[in-house]
Amino acid sequence: QVQLVESGGGLVQPGGSLRLSCAASGSSSRFNTMGWYRQAPGKQRELVATITRAGVIMYADSVKGRFTVSRDNAKNTVYLQMNSLKPEDTAVYYCYGRDFRGVDYWGQGTQVTASS
């Protein structure tokens, strides 16, 4: 059973920073692509950032220059450093992983709130 476990969400003032972590465990936990999606109330889930095992990175336009995705392949862990947070970044953030068979996995989600 593959599991993705997120940590690091919380409440921060606009302009602040948070770092999310996601650790994969279980069999078949070597992922080709890992990353983050988010879902705000009343909206569809959207891509935030992804990174392949080879280090190819993709960002949503709305977070470019503010968020940085990285991963530690040896630890099967992906990170999301979020700087200059805005109220519109408020959402549940989901860790994502796609294995080499093309099967997708999701974490349980962690709440990020940017509010004064």
Side-chain angles (χ1 to χ4, degrees), residues 24-40:
S25 62
S27 61
S28 302
S29 61
R30 283 183 81 236
F31 292 107
N32 181 23
T33 301
M34 298 187 77
W36 299 90
Y37 282 68
R38 67 186 181 187
Q39 188 167 18

Side-chain angles (χ1 to χ4, degrees), residues 33-88:
T33 301
M34 298 187 77
W36 299 90
Y37 282 68
R38 67 186 181 187
Q39 188 167 18
K43 295 188 177 181
Q44 289 189 327
R45 191 174 296 191
E46 63 177 5
L47 179 146
V48 177
T50 59
I51 180 169
T52 69
R53 196 168 186 87
V56 178
I57 292 174
M58 179 182 298
Y59 290 107
D61 288 342
S62 59
V63 307
K64 284 180 181 177
R66 301 187 298 121
F67 291 11
T68 302
V69 65
S70 60
R71 66 187 285 177
D72 184 331
N73 291 332
K75 296 181 179 179
N76 280 333
T77 301
V78 64
Y79 307 95
L80 185 68
Q81 177 66 43
M82 303 183 291
N83 298 329
S84 302
L85 281 159
K86 303 176 181 180
E88 51 263 44

